Amino acid sequence: MPKTRMGVWGVGVWGEKHARVYASSPETELAGVYDRDAARAAEVAARHGVPAFPSAAALLAECEALSIAVPTVAHLEAFEQAAAAGRSALVEKPMAVTLEEADRMIEIARRAGVTLQIGQVERFNPTLIAARPWIGRVQFVEAHRMALFQPRSLDIDVVFDLMIHDIDIVLQAVGARPETVSAVGVAVLSDNEDIANARLEFANGCVANLTASRVSQERLRRIRFFQEDAYLSLDLFEKRCDLLSLDRAVLQAPKHPLQMAGAIRKRDVEIGSAEPLTLELEAFVRSLRGEGDGAAPAEAGRDALAVAEAVRAGMRQRARQWASTSPVS
């Protein structure tokens, strides 16, 4: 099967990774890259032996589909241009700045007859993939996502930068959007919130408590699922999954209370070693051929954005309440 010619629009820190994957995958050929920073585009292009196109139009003319990894504020405009050229795209998260923009992107894709998917790359973390068959009727979720401070993506807050990954994971696990959202956030080193905590409550009774920080002293990505008869603890960074389940047969047998611990079973969950971004981009390309579901669909990107907006609104409301009750110095 011929390789699919892929392009990358926007080759900053993350977009360059897309270029690397397309250049090295046996299923794709990197047609070239484009970035408004011509020097940066030339640097990345030279690294992979491909053209650095002088314009987005030139890139679109030479690729079959592409990744869009420009700043969030430019997602709508970039995808609109790609769709007009008949090119399907994977747009990095967050999908858009507002829900109105996300809805417009979905409508643009429908009218143009192209595919729009969203780069919620954590869906392809091998730890989550391995754990997914064991995730059932979730009753409580607790997630902690901590990152060292980096002077990038500061145009958005930590919810849109980091927490949105865990929002997407929770929405996929529960299969619904929350009924109520409360949150608190603090701006520490940037003009937007750098630390945030959110509580999501769902109609079926499930509660998710999510914490994200981009000014931490350590890198941490952990999420725990509590459900009937089972507990899963996932370390998405270290690629480890602890699964504890309850053996009802042992529990129902006549036992001494001190022997009840024998009803708890610990399973070894085998975890693959593949890079999440490689899995995501290969899934995206295969879906264009009608093979598999691909990356996160645009509707899932919109749902995660809607919850992120609700979290942001909750943070801002809490900040106003705090300011109104703080003593004047």
Side-chain angles (χ1 to χ4, degrees), residues 179-196:
E179 284 196 328
T180 62
V181 175
S182 58
V184 61
V186 179
V188 180
L189 297 178
S190 73
D191 293 333
N192 294 304
E193 288 85 356
D194 298 308
I195 300 175

Side-chain angles (χ1 to χ4, degrees), residues 117-294:
Q117 295 177 11
I118 310 303
Q120 297 284 170
V121 69
E122 203 71 282
R123 286 186 172 214
F124 292 86
N125 188 300
T127 307
L128 186 61
I129 292 173
R132 194 166 281 131
W134 306 101
I135 299 175
R137 290 176 54 83
V138 180
Q139 296 175 323
F140 180 67
V141 184
E142 186 168 45
H144 291 86
R145 186 172 294 263
M146 312 293 181
L148 306 177
F149 182 77
Q150 297 184 35
R152 65 176 183 85
S153 299
L154 299 183
D155 59 317
I156 55 178
D157 56 54
V158 71
V159 176
F160 280 64
D161 186 15
L162 298 180
M163 187 185 286
I164 197 166
H165 286 298
D166 294 318
I167 289 173
D168 180 63
I169 291 172
V170 170
L171 296 187
Q172 190 177 27
V174 179
R177 281 168 51 181
E179 284 196 328
T180 62
V181 175
S182 58
V184 61
V186 179
V188 180
L189 297 178
S190 73
D191 293 333
N192 294 304
E193 288 85 356
D194 298 308
I195 300 175
N197 174 265
R199 178 182 173 89
L200 316 181
E201 299 185 40
F202 296 82
N204 66 356
C206 178
V207 173
N209 186 44
L210 313 180
T211 301
S213 169
R214 59 185 181 191
V215 289
S216 176
Q217 295 298 303
E218 61 178 333
R219 297 177 66 187
L220 184 71
R221 284 184 283 167
R222 292 178 184 166
I223 185 166
R224 296 184 291 172
F225 296 92
F226 299 81
Q227 54 197 48
E228 187 177 4
D229 296 349
Y231 161 73
L232 295 95
S233 178
L234 281 61
D235 190 322
L236 301 173
F237 187 68
E238 297 292 341
K239 294 184 171 57
R240 186 175 66 248
C241 175
D242 295 324
L243 169 61
L244 299 178
S245 59
L246 191 63
D247 188 330
R248 286 288 182 183
V250 173
L251 193 64
Q252 293 171 358
K255 297 277 185 181
H256 188 278
L258 295 179
Q259 296 177 293
M260 299 304 288
I264 300 174
R265 298 282 186 257
K266 183 175 182 179
R267 294 179 181 269
D268 293 325
V269 179
E270 185 175 350
I271 299 172
S273 59
E275 179 191 23
L277 182 61
T278 297
L279 295 177
E280 178 184 56
L281 297 185
E282 288 181 347
F284 168 55
V285 172
R286 288 171 187 161
S287 71
L288 301 180
R289 303 171 183 162
E291 303 171 6
D293 297 329

Side-chain angles (χ1 to χ4, degrees), residues 11 27 34 40 44 69 119 143 146 180 288:
V11 285
E27 300 184 25
Y34 167 70
R40 172 62 178 174
V44 174
M146 312 293 181
T180 62
L288 301 180

Side-chain angles (χ1 to χ4, degrees), residues 28-79:
T28 57
E29 174 187 351
L30 180 60
V33 304
Y34 167 70
D35 195 288
R36 64 182 181 180
D37 182 340
R40 172 62 178 174
E43 175 190 347
V44 174
R47 191 174 301 153
H48 300 292
V50 298
F53 292 104
S55 67
L59 169 66
L60 294 170
E62 293 298 327
C63 68
E64 297 175 68
L66 75 158
S67 286
I68 294 176
V70 298
T72 307
V73 294
H75 283 181
L76 171 59
E77 181 181 357
F79 178 67

